[in-house]
Amino acid sequence: MDIAIPVAPLGVLTLLGFFAPHAVGALNGALPFVKTAWQKKIVSVTVALVLAAIVVVFYYAITKEPITDWWLFALLAIVIVNASYALITRSSASAVERAADPNVITVHEKR
């Protein structure tokens, strides 16, 4: 079995994956029905799959070559987005989630 993934879309996916946790945090805060942990995980996986689909569509639009192993590309997107959240951007993505939540009042104190 030969698995071939083009390097350019994988690089774009990795770079966009670092910003995806902020989008996930904003959606978790803005969507009123997202309250439990499993709902937040569904939002995270959905954002990763949409991100992978966008990269695949743009790659096809530019090169006119389809990515044959799109399922592997989608799995890599899920891993990259969730690893980025868990290892790098957890605190800042949580701040975005709190800021996007309309039910939370943020008080800024002068120091």
Side-chain angles (χ1 to χ4, degrees):
M1 177 180 206
D2 185 28
I3 297 176
I5 298 177
V7 176
L10 188 58
V12 170
L13 179 69
T14 303
L15 290 175
L16 291 176
F18 290 125
F19 299 107
H22 298 291
V24 170
L27 286 173
N28 284 341
L31 296 175
F33 57 86
V34 177
K35 299 294 181 200
T36 61
W38 68 270
Q39 292 170 330
K40 291 180 180 186
K41 289 177 186 175
I42 289 175
V43 169
S44 176
V45 169
T46 304
V47 168
L49 292 176
V50 167
L51 181 67
I54 289 170
V55 172
V56 167
V57 167
F58 278 127
Y59 180 75
Y60 180 75
I62 292 171
T63 64
K64 302 296 184 217
E65 295 178 10
I67 295 177
T68 56
D69 297 324
W70 58 268
W71 55 272
L72 184 62
F73 200 74
L75 288 175
L76 282 171
I78 294 169
V79 169
I80 290 169
V81 168
N82 288 316
S84 173
Y85 179 79
L87 300 175
I88 299 171
T89 59
R90 177 175 290 182
S91 60
S92 58
S94 296
V96 170
E97 183 176 343
R98 284 190 304 277
D101 190 358
N103 298 326
V104 175
I105 298 173
T106 306
V107 177
H108 299 284
E109 114 185 6
K110 282 188 172 181
R111 291 184 184 195

